[in-house]
Amino acid sequence: IWSCTLNKSKNMNRNIIAILRGVKPKEVLDIAHVIVKAGISQVEVPLNSPSAFESIELLRDEFEGSIQFGAGTVTDIKQVEVLAKIGVNFIVSPNFNPDVVKATKEANILSYPGVITPTECFSAIHCGADGLKFFPASLIGEDNLIALKAVLPSDMPLFMVGGVGPKNFSSWIKAGATGFGIGSGLYKAGESPNIVSKKAESIVLAYDEAQ
């Protein structure tokens, strides 16, 4: 699953991914350090961020082996090829593109395509997806997730992204969510490490209490 075991520390068992949309290379390490210190050890840089590949390379050089780092908003196989050379741990997409999933798996990278419908879910699983990213989760709702859980493979990780956070971690987990991707609720472009640190600590606390 998303938080595959890199070590035995508690924070590696938290299925939270920090989505740093809009982060710049000059600030990515400072932001990532406060997030990791708070107890989140999966960090994603969406490719529609400024100089995203550079930021991902900086994360690799700083954290490789101690956290999982990857790319989001990956929509074509050319991006996958660049990311494979960088050596990311995971690739996340807002949509399900069979070619992207297959290219990601061929590169031995974890694949998390965005899905909503049962057809997308099973098609993504058939292509080799390691987990499903429900986006936007707020459009699905907990009741629909419960219904989908009844037919999806029981061991398939399900991650909620978009409209999820400390206020509803508990209800989503009860509905069957494996984990969460947190974007603007954790980081907005230009925010200081101090602000992000406080939000990360609150998110971790709420997540732990919801377990």
Side-chain angles (χ1 to χ4, degrees), residues 9 37 44 61 84 104 112 146:
S9 63
K37 184 178 180 181
E44 168 195 325
D61 294 344
T104 300
Y112 299 96
I146 291 170

Side-chain angles (χ1 to χ4, degrees), residues 33-177:
H33 271 293
V34 299
I35 289 171
V36 173
K37 184 178 180 181
I40 299 172
S41 52
Q42 288 82 238
V43 179
E44 168 195 325
V45 176
L47 292 190
N48 57 356
S49 304
S51 303
F53 292 120
E54 182 181 348
S55 289
I56 295 169
E57 288 178 330
L58 289 167
L59 288 174
R60 176 199 62 197
D61 294 344
E62 183 79 0
F63 293 105
E64 189 170 23
S66 60
I67 71 166
Q68 283 192 301
F69 61 95
T73 318
V74 179
T75 57
D76 66 61
I77 58 175
K78 290 183 179 180
Q79 294 170 335
V80 175
E81 291 170 358
V82 175
L83 293 166
K85 292 178 181 178
I86 293 173
V88 297
N89 300 122
F90 61 85
I91 285 176
V92 186
S93 298
N95 64 320
F96 165 57
N97 181 326
D99 293 334
V100 169
V101 175
K102 291 175 181 177
T104 300
K105 295 312 301 172
E106 287 173 1
N108 199 30
I109 300 169
L110 296 172
S111 174
Y112 299 96
V115 298
I116 289 183
T117 68
T119 297
E120 289 176 330
C121 290
F122 281 100
S123 296
I125 293 169
H126 179 73
C127 284
D130 295 283
L132 303 177
K133 167 193 171 180
F134 285 90
F135 174 80
S138 56
L139 186 63
I140 302 163
E142 291 93 324
D143 288 344
N144 283 337
L145 179 62
I146 291 170
L148 283 168
K149 279 282 291 184
V151 296
L152 292 173
S154 59
D155 60 346
M156 176 57 54
L158 310 177
F159 290 84
M160 307 299 119
V161 181
V164 297
K167 294 182 179 179
N168 56 19
F169 281 155
S170 181
S171 62
W172 277 112
I173 290 171
K174 289 177 181 176

